[in-house]
Amino acid sequence: MPLGTLFSAVRLPQRLVVAVTGGAGPSDEVDAFLDEALGGGPVICDPRGHRYYALVPASMPTTWHQAADDWRVMEVDCLGRDTFLGVPRVDLVTFDQHTFAPYWSVPMPSMATLCAPLAVARLIAAGRYQLEEQGMECESG
């Protein structure tokens, strides 16, 4: 799907998400945490790419550009116009350990329901804090 019109996405590295949730990777527990932390806003998990995508209002890459610039050191990126996002089928809502197929970590209840930018920013800040506490670098490598 093209981003930047109906919605945009914030790409989150898996290690940032699991640092906050205490999980080890895609799981029901991580999905439940994201559902609560992001107020039921939709999230896609890409287990092969070790990433999560929080779907946010289309304006977020523009309105949060300064924060987004700061997040890049953690491999967090706000994806908007001129970007396409692969979206799983609506019935793929659990992690499949055999296929590692992308799935809805938090399903989209309706096109009008998205993650609040402030909730996503708080999740990123908490992940950064946890990674620093664990002595892990925010940058890859």
Side-chain angles (χ1 to χ4, degrees):
M1 291 195 73
L3 298 178
T5 304
L6 295 175
F7 55 85
S8 289
V10 177
R11 182 174 53 212
L12 305 162
Q14 180 177 296
R15 72 183 183 296
L16 183 87
V17 173
V18 299
V20 176
T21 64
S27 66
D28 291 343
E29 293 78 22
V30 171
D31 297 344
F33 176 87
L34 289 172
D35 188 13
E36 184 176 330
L38 299 176
V43 179
I44 296 169
C45 177
D46 174 9
R48 283 195 180 137
H50 305 282
R51 298 181 187 120
Y52 287 81
Y53 295 85
L55 303 187
V56 295
S59 62
M60 187 168 176
T62 304
T63 57
W64 285 72
H65 67 87
Q66 187 170 0
D69 288 344
D70 294 341
W71 295 336
R72 283 198 183 95
V73 299
M74 296 177 288
E75 296 181 350
V76 172
D77 201 7
C78 283
L79 307 172
R81 292 196 182 276
D82 301 322
T83 306
F84 289 83
L85 179 64
V87 177
R89 292 187 337 234
V90 295
D91 62 332
L92 296 177
V93 295
T94 56
F95 173 56
D96 185 330
Q97 296 181 27
H98 302 292
T99 66
F100 276 70
Y103 72 98
W104 290 96
S105 177
V106 181
M108 180 182 269
S110 76
M111 289 297 281
T113 304
L114 297 169
C115 297
L118 186 56
V120 174
R122 287 180 176 151
L123 178 70
I124 294 166
R128 181 178 209 162
Y129 175 80
Q130 288 299 323
L131 289 173
E132 289 171 355
E133 283 290 301
Q134 295 167 11
M136 299 173 73
E137 293 183 26
C138 290
E139 298 179 49
S140 65

